Amino acid sequence: MFRDIRLHGYANDQIEFYAITAGSEAYNRYFFNTDPTDPGEIRFFSPGNEFIIGKNGISHRGNGGSFCEYMFGVDQPIADLAKEDVSNRLIIYGTHYDSRSGTLRFSERTEGYVSYDKIFFDGNAIFNYFFALTGVDFSGPMHEQQERILRVLGKALKRSGAVGEEQDNLIIREILDIIDDPNAHLFLFKLINVRHREYSEAFKALYFNNKKITDAEFQSLAVLAERYGIDRYQQERIRIDVMYKHPDNRRIVDEYKNILIACNRKGEINKLENARLTRLKTLSVRNKIPGALFYTLDEMLKKDKKLVDLEESNYISETRTILEGMFLSERQIESSIDAEDMLKLLYAKKQAAENRDHAFEEMLLDASKACDEKIRDGADISILEGYSYIITYFDRYDATSSAINQLAFMENVRISEEMIRSLLGNKHAFDMLAPDLFKKLFLSGIFEDKYLGIYGRKKVSHLASGLKLIEENRLTTSGLLEQLVKIDNDERLHLTLLAHIKDRIRNFYSKYATKGDQDALKKELAEELKNKKLIDGEIPDHLFREAILTIKKEAVYIHNLLPQIILEKSWALREDFLENSGLDRFYVEELEREFFELNGLDLEELYQIRKGFN
């Protein structure tokens, strides 16, 4: 008959709530009232339990607790993070962890008050659940009730996929099925921050469209956040959580997380694992995956882990020496940062970035705090000027490195004259510090990167020569912009052609070796792409031939070479193909992954071959 009864309302203009009682004869057990003197408060009660929804927060008394889906990047116990099936945060009233015994302690004191600000700060920023239970099995002393609830429901509540999907009916069914007591009744309260939800949905709609947010779109989000008073921390955690849940991001980030978890358990990161992490970080740039998704994992799992078999460098101690030297001026010692010091710091920053060494950034943060404290206590202002000098160059470094890496490893990059002018200004500043410093910091290493593809190499090469020509007044910024945009458009069309040609060959053409076959394929493909409005004119012949050649090389590798490489575990044969085929390493690695997954092979064997470990 009646399975549950629900009450829907608003605690205020920001908090929406659903109050549900579920169980047999629920209509006989659902009690709530309001206080005429305080119409903004509603009280729900049952034998031994009380839950009050007020204007600014909730009060609770009795058994139960709260649960919500973990947001990506929040402080999460390592024990939960290490279990792939744990997705939810569970809090049982009146419990605390005893570090000495390593056990959970239960108390008779379960009542309390929690503000909405704290609920959506400590828990999920969008929605959180609270619950209480009545029935024969949930009576007796409060600590025994709470211990039984945790023992019976804890595992299911922490792993239920229904929580993240907000499937209230499924949550109710899962809980009551586990309890399996005809006298049991569940009281479930769902609180929703409607402002945070609107911000989250707006960001998701924009980001999921093409995995990037334009300046205009970001400004509209900023206006929305300002209108609703959403602080920057909540904005950031909402955005990071949405970005993580994009399917293309989640696979790479989860693989990165799993490697770090394994390293965390043993307390060290070896050479092979570090190489995998590096490859995933590089791949993330190619796939437009935000670095923030990796920084949060590094902070939680990688901190203080020993880097095994990695050469210990002196750049950290050298950096510390320079930074600490800034504060010697209060002893009348000349310690200003000169050009030689700045060069050492820039090369140290470059090496720290390549090693993903957070110790470097932590030293900068410590220096910043020390600088503020010294100035507050009356130290000479020259300390602040020295630190500002460092930060100015580091900001230039970050902006330049980000722009060049995007050009090198990403498709559909937003290229503008403003970006070129910024790079030109930064190049001038670096080269003023030391001749050809711009080239040494940002270009030399990138051309040696094995993951630099054909089009990425073209873009960076044209950028390097173009900036030099602009300085010599032999080229304009608009001229360089035109060159870079053309390469980017060629890259986009090449990828489009590659995907559509492979699809047509798979479904319609068994042969494409002769010129006649290729001409027919090109003609049909041109009509299809025009109808889809993917091209305006004809397909450039050189791009079409390039795509056909790529597919031929792919077929040779997949059908002939890769099986031999796997059989012989031949790193040399694989590297020979990569160096001489002209195919992008990213593209070949994706082909290998698909081959291994399709044939049910162990990916660990592929990792070993890639690193040359036989």
Side-chain angles (χ1 to χ4, degrees):
M1 191 61 180
F2 297 107
R3 182 66 173 173
D4 57 64
I5 297 176
R6 303 170 187 236
L7 184 66
H8 176 211
Y10 290 84
N12 54 44
D13 60 357
Q14 184 174 356
I15 306 301
E16 181 180 11
F17 72 82
Y18 289 86
I20 307 170
T21 181
S24 60
E25 298 185 352
Y27 60 93
N28 285 331
R29 303 181 181 231
Y30 189 60
F31 298 101
F32 73 93
N33 62 21
T34 57
D35 186 348
T37 63
D38 187 2
E41 183 176 282
I42 182 168
R43 174 174 173 263
F44 300 86
F45 56 93
S46 65
N49 295 317
E50 178 183 69
F51 193 85
I52 299 174
I53 299 177
K55 224 171 185 182
N56 301 310
I58 61 98
S59 299
H60 59 83
R61 179 175 60 84
N63 67 26
S66 67
F67 56 89
C68 66
E69 182 187 38
Y70 276 122
M71 298 187 76
F72 180 82
V74 300
D75 289 336
Q76 188 174 347
I78 298 298
D80 282 359
L81 194 61
K83 298 170 185 171
E84 292 185 22
D85 55 346
V86 171
S87 57
N88 304 320
R89 175 180 186 258
L90 174 63
I91 302 295
I92 300 295
Y93 301 144
T95 61
H96 72 277
Y97 181 75
D98 187 339
S99 58
R100 287 181 296 182
S101 63
T103 59
L104 200 62
R105 299 292 186 183
F106 297 86
S107 167
E108 294 292 319
R109 299 283 301 275
T110 59
E111 67 277 1
Y113 169 84
V114 191
S115 68
Y116 294 128
D117 285 344
K118 185 170 178 58
I119 290 171
F120 292 97
F121 183 88
D122 291 343
N124 193 285
I126 314 296
F127 61 92
N128 292 269
Y129 289 94
F130 291 80
F131 72 100
L133 288 161
T134 63
V136 174
D137 288 341
F138 301 101
S139 58
M142 190 57 63
H143 72 276
E144 292 181 3
Q145 294 184 44
Q146 295 294 77
E147 187 172 0
R148 174 162 176 74
I149 287 173
L150 181 61
R151 188 169 62 252
V152 173
L153 295 177
K155 186 174 182 179
L157 286 177
K158 290 179 75 68
R159 290 163 172 77
S160 173
V163 176
E165 296 173 1
E166 297 185 69
Q167 296 188 34
D168 300 348
N169 289 342
L170 184 54
I171 294 172
I172 293 168
R173 185 164 72 246
E174 286 177 350
I175 292 175
L176 292 180
D177 285 351
I178 292 172
I179 294 174
D180 194 24
D181 179 355
N183 296 307
H185 276 76
L186 168 68
F187 293 83
L188 187 67
F189 304 93
K190 180 181 179 182
L191 303 179
I192 303 168
N193 190 311
V194 294
R195 295 178 180 177
H196 289 179
R197 167 157 285 172
E198 184 176 343
Y199 182 86
S200 174
E201 290 175 349
F203 180 80
K204 181 177 180 180
L206 295 172
Y207 182 75
F208 272 47
N209 186 36
N210 56 12
K211 290 186 69 178
K212 67 178 181 179
I213 302 289
T214 66
D215 293 343
E217 290 168 342
F218 193 83
Q219 182 59 33
S220 69
L221 289 169
V223 170
L224 179 65
E226 184 176 359
R227 182 168 74 244
Y228 284 154
I230 304 174
D231 64 56
R232 291 191 176 185
Y233 171 74
Q234 292 286 33
Q235 292 177 50
E236 184 177 358
R237 70 198 292 246
I238 290 170
R239 291 197 301 266
I240 288 176
D241 192 62
V242 170
M243 290 187 290
Y244 167 69
K245 288 177 179 175
H246 192 291
D248 293 344
N249 297 350
R250 192 163 195 157
R251 178 174 63 83
I252 293 176
V253 175
D254 280 350
E255 187 171 354
Y256 188 90
K257 180 184 71 174
N258 291 337
I259 294 172
L260 279 182
I261 287 171
C263 296
N264 186 276
R265 285 172 177 162
K266 61 184 182 181
E268 62 184 33
I269 302 174
N270 63 33
K271 240 177 185 178
L272 177 60
E273 291 155 343
N274 195 64
R276 292 178 188 171
L277 295 172
T278 302
R279 184 164 61 251
L280 288 168
K281 286 291 272 293
T282 308
L283 185 61
S284 74
V285 176
R286 180 67 175 261
N287 286 272
K288 296 186 284 189
I289 299 176
L293 298 179
F294 297 93
Y295 300 151
T296 51
L297 289 174
D298 286 345
E299 199 62 29
M300 286 188 290
L301 294 169
K302 194 178 179 186
K303 192 175 182 181
D304 300 328
K305 296 298 168 288
K306 181 182 178 184
L307 297 176
V308 178
D309 296 328
L310 294 179
E311 182 180 356
E312 187 67 29
S313 174
N314 65 353
Y315 69 90
I316 290 295
S317 59
E318 191 171 59
T319 299
R320 183 179 292 110
T321 299
I322 295 172
L323 293 178
E324 289 295 323
M326 289 194 308
F327 306 112
L328 296 177
S329 59
E330 58 189 7
R331 298 182 217 167
Q332 306 304 313
I333 300 175
E334 177 56 44
S335 60
S336 59
I337 306 297
D338 60 16
E340 185 179 350
D341 291 331
M342 195 66 245
L343 280 172
K344 290 179 180 178
L345 289 173
L346 285 169
Y347 280 116
K349 181 174 178 63
K350 176 179 171 66
Q351 195 164 354
E354 291 170 351
N355 294 341
R356 301 184 316 283
D357 191 343
H358 295 302
F360 184 84
E361 297 298 331
E362 289 171 359
M363 278 194 293
L364 284 181
L365 182 59
D366 291 339
S368 175
K369 291 178 180 177
C371 183
D372 289 342
E373 291 171 358
K374 297 290 185 183
I375 296 297
R376 182 197 61 199
D377 295 339
D380 194 284
I381 195 68
S382 62
I383 295 176
L384 181 59
E385 292 172 352
Y387 188 74
S388 298
Y389 175 64
I390 294 171
I391 295 304
T392 299
Y393 266 102
F394 281 1
D395 287 344
R396 288 182 180 275
Y397 181 96
D398 290 335
T400 304
S401 177
S402 176
I404 292 178
N405 276 299
Q406 286 181 20
L407 279 175
F409 298 107
M410 291 171 59
E411 304 101 24
N412 303 322
V413 179
R414 180 173 169 266
I415 308 170
S416 65
E417 284 195 58
E418 181 184 354
M419 182 194 79
I420 294 173
R421 284 193 291 268
S422 175
L423 286 172
L424 195 63
N426 290 340
K427 180 181 184 301
H428 178 73
F430 286 118
D431 289 347
M432 284 288 289
L433 197 61
D436 290 330
L437 180 60
F438 180 85
K439 178 181 178 181
K440 293 172 183 176
L441 286 176
F442 305 107
L443 300 180
S444 300
I446 209 164
F447 284 122
E448 297 169 4
D449 194 317
K450 292 182 178 180
Y451 287 93
L452 183 65
I454 296 172
Y455 287 96
R457 186 175 295 275
K458 286 182 180 179
K459 282 185 279 189
V460 177
S461 295
H462 276 72
L463 175 71
S465 60
L467 291 177
K468 185 177 180 181
L469 290 173
I470 291 172
E471 289 179 325
E472 297 171 354
N473 294 319
R474 296 165 58 194
L475 184 68
T476 63
T477 55
S478 59
L480 177 56
L481 175 63
E482 186 178 340
Q483 294 177 13
L484 294 175
V485 169
K486 183 182 183 306
I487 297 170
D488 194 61
N489 289 338
D490 283 352
E491 181 179 23
R492 187 184 305 112
L493 183 54
H494 169 73
L495 294 173
T496 301
L497 288 173
L498 195 61
H500 282 76
I501 291 173
K502 287 171 72 173
D503 184 63
R504 279 198 161 264
I505 289 173
R506 182 166 50 247
N507 294 305
F508 302 107
Y509 293 89
S510 59
K511 297 180 180 179
Y512 54 93
T514 69
K515 187 176 186 304
D517 290 335
Q518 293 178 16
D519 290 341
L521 173 60
K522 181 182 177 184
K523 183 177 179 181
E524 292 183 17
L525 189 62
E527 292 180 4
E528 179 185 349
L529 296 181
K530 284 179 183 177
N531 291 334
K532 292 182 178 180
K533 297 181 178 180
L534 294 175
I535 60 171
D536 295 327
E538 297 298 320
I539 297 174
D541 190 65
H542 72 283
L543 291 179
F544 179 79
R545 303 299 172 195
E546 181 183 335
I548 291 292
L549 184 58
T550 297
I551 291 170
K552 288 181 177 180
K553 291 176 181 178
E554 173 187 332
V556 169
Y557 186 66
I558 291 298
H559 298 299
N560 298 334
L561 287 180
L562 185 55
Q564 182 182 348
I565 289 169
I566 295 170
L567 180 64
E568 299 175 1
K569 294 182 171 56
S570 177
W571 173 85
L573 181 58
R574 178 178 181 271
E575 286 300 309
D576 181 67
F577 174 81
L578 286 168
E579 290 177 9
N580 294 291
S581 68
L583 295 183
D584 288 355
R585 191 173 288 260
F586 280 116
Y587 183 74
V588 173
E589 289 194 356
E590 190 64 20
L591 293 177
E592 291 171 339
R593 185 187 63 79
E594 291 175 357
F595 182 87
F596 268 68
E597 290 180 351
L598 184 65
N599 292 280
L601 302 176
D602 186 1
L603 281 170
E604 182 65 30
E605 185 177 348
L606 176 61
Y607 294 143
Q608 298 288 342
I609 294 172
R610 286 175 179 174
K611 297 310 297 177
F613 298 130
N614 296 322

